[in-house]
Amino acid sequence: MKDDVSRDDFLSMDEDSKMQVRVQALARAVVDQEILTGNEDLNALQDGLDRASNTEKTDTRKRSMPTSPKSSTMTGAEIVIKSLIDQGVEVVFGYPGGAVLPIYDELFKQHQIEHVLVRHEQGATHAAEGYARSTGKPGVVLVTSGPGATNAVTGLQDALMDSIPLICLTGQVPTFMIGNDAFQEADTIGITRPCTKHNWLVKDTDDLAETMHQAFYVATNGRPGPVLIDIPKDVQFASGKYVGPRNIKPTAYQPRVKGDSAAIQAAVEMIEGAKRPLFYTGGGVINSGPHASQLLRDLIEATGFPVTSTLMGLGAYPASGDKWLGMLGMHGSYEANWAMHDCDVMICVGARFDDRITGRLDAFAPKSKKIHIDIDPSSINKNVRADVPIVGDVGHVLEDMTRIFRSRGAKTNKPAVKKWWDKIEEWRAVNCFSYENSDELIKPQYAVQRLAEAMKKHGDYYVTTEVGQHQMWAAQYIPFDAPNRWMTSGGLGTMGYGVPAAVGVQMAHRDSLVVDVAGEASFMMTMQEMSTAVQYNLPIKIFILNNERLGMVRQWQQLLHGERYSSSYSEALPDFVKMGEAFGCGGMRCDKPGDLDDAIAEMIAYDGPVIFDCLVEKHENCFPMIPSGKAHNEMLLSSTSGGDIAQAIESSGAVLV
Ligand SMILES: Cc1ncc(C[n+]2csc(CCOP(=O)(O)OP(=O)(O)O)c2C)c(N)n1
Ligand SMILES: [Mg+2]
């Protein structure tokens, strides 16, 4: 339709002209697709035409009820849009194609939902993830069948591993052609079953509304995650019954949110007696909502215990808080990892004992008793045995725990905890994030530190990242004082996440500063989304730490593969400044430490999206590092000598990633 008439022209037309345009578009869609051959399809087409002409006619055909927007009978495509509106959806990230044209047609006719046209379906899923993580609301994706759906798979798996609520709507070939190897057919349900929390193929328009609302429920309740609804094209054209979100049948999926009170009581007793306690928090705190982060802060202040967090949990407890030890894990802080190794009571809140956190499992926190709070029962005792497991929502459990702790007099073993803090201060004094700076070359750590200072000066900021060394430096050097400000691909480690995620974040926070800390190689995986940023006036800043290397791969090859740098050099890089110009956004370059502050200030002040090419030292490694297969107390620091590093990883560890 866009070929013939613009959206604004369409909206200003009288009803007769609008009708004509719709009829032509529907007819064209049929010819283009060459799929409406059977009687049922002709009925479906007739339904669409009837609706378009808004004729009040009685018809004996099964699914040809005329509809008005208020009626509870609508076409499948209308049901999709009405369900989204009733679920409070404001933005959909998507890409059209033959199998979703009826839904795109309905999008065209309304004003409540904004559609963001990405440049690749992977971009739609990451943008929806960025939107979801920065707002706490589910992200919505709309893509076509076949390649549209398969392109979305990486983002679905990413969202599954990081527990991000997404609703992905895919078009499918008409029901009567499924299994025929039809044009753009793929077994989307089969392909996405392992990378969604749940998925549905809707074969009857009467089931569509119910399924849409179920999908929102499943994606956002319990451990959040991506869900997918596959909607054949005839189901979109046909008419069916609409039910609102409050009228759907009760579902069997009722995740437990309240923790067992006896277990919470046992946990409080353990907290009271702890001599070397540690809070180990994760993305579950953020997913539970800002209230959970506040409760966590209250409990930490009430106990006076130290706290560390996974990559996904940054911001739940403020980095400026005095109980903060920094992130733990493979590239976490010295003090956090040592505290983890030596603690006697570990309070794990909304984290899942991922291998990046535990290191060698049989040497993980060997002297500790573990309390594990998680909404997902399958996470408990999966990798590490919990002494006190508590299944429930972090917010609910922390509220009960704090109440019980206070009602018993807020007792802790103060002298022992004071001694523990003294020990922690010794580890802190190691100053594990120090590095040798240079006047000539921009050290990547320095670049991130200067960026962090400038962002702090600017005020509230949101950061996305790609995957690699730059991601770890961003986690180490950028402080987050609030939840929902840090968007990174933790579980899947997806290069190419950051640009589209920044698009999604900026859609939700139009006036905020949104920066993607990128590597040059990752940026090139989804850089086409700069075009999306330009189209929707999203002033995202892409801060590339350009080391002309697949830096993290190079680091592992140096440490593990005898310095044989097999294919880890970024050859034939484009000129990122010219690329910025070509996209119609800003392009900047900086290669001198002395110019960096001014250049970063210019980038932040630039009125629009910017690609910032920061040329950094090419051989810097990311420390501290727990070599694979080692325990937390065997961490390497930047001061560890080269020979010791080369020998640090044994063959048993080399097999691990
Ligand atoms: C899609 C994808 N492919 C491959 C990898 C493996 N990988 C992890 S980090 C990395 C290098 C990233 O290079 P760059 O984006 O320049 O970041 P740097 O490490 O140099 O900061 C690679 C190839 C990945 N994480 N994701
Ligand atoms: Mg690089």
Side-chain angles (χ1 to χ4, degrees), residues 519-521 545-551 570:
E520 81 296 336
L545 296 182
N546 185 351
N547 52 11
E548 295 177 16
R549 302 286 184 283
L550 313 184
S570 292

Side-chain angles (χ1 to χ4, degrees), residues 27 43 117 140-141 153 185 198 246 261 280 324 332 373 390 392 405 411 435 455 563 577 585:
N43 288 349
L117 177 70
V140 181
V141 174
V153 164
E185 182 183 1
H198 199 77
R246 275 184 213 91
S261 50
Y280 150 47
W324 177 237
I373 305 169
I390 306 172
F405 176 71
K411 290 178 288 191
Y435 57 91
M455 290 194 299
E563 303 182 43
V577 176
C585 60

Side-chain angles (χ1 to χ4, degrees), residues 467-470 493 495 519-522 525 547 549-553:
V467 171
Q469 291 178 314
H470 61 277
M495 290 170 70
E520 81 296 336
S522 295
M525 288 215 171
N547 52 11
R549 302 286 184 283
L550 313 184
M552 192 56 98
V553 172

Side-chain angles (χ1 to χ4, degrees), residues 6-13 18 108-111:
S6 76
R7 180 191 173 91
D8 287 344
D9 288 349
F10 177 81
L11 292 172
S12 61
M13 282 176 179
K18 276 186 186 169
F108 190 96
K109 296 178 202 159
Q110 55 79 53
H111 277 302

Side-chain angles (χ1 to χ4, degrees), residues 257 284-285 288 292 295 349-350 373-375 392-399:
V257 289
V285 184
S288 181
L295 286 164
V349 190
I373 305 169
D374 204 305
I375 197 155
D393 171 62
V394 165
H396 282 81
V397 175
L398 286 181
E399 195 163 348

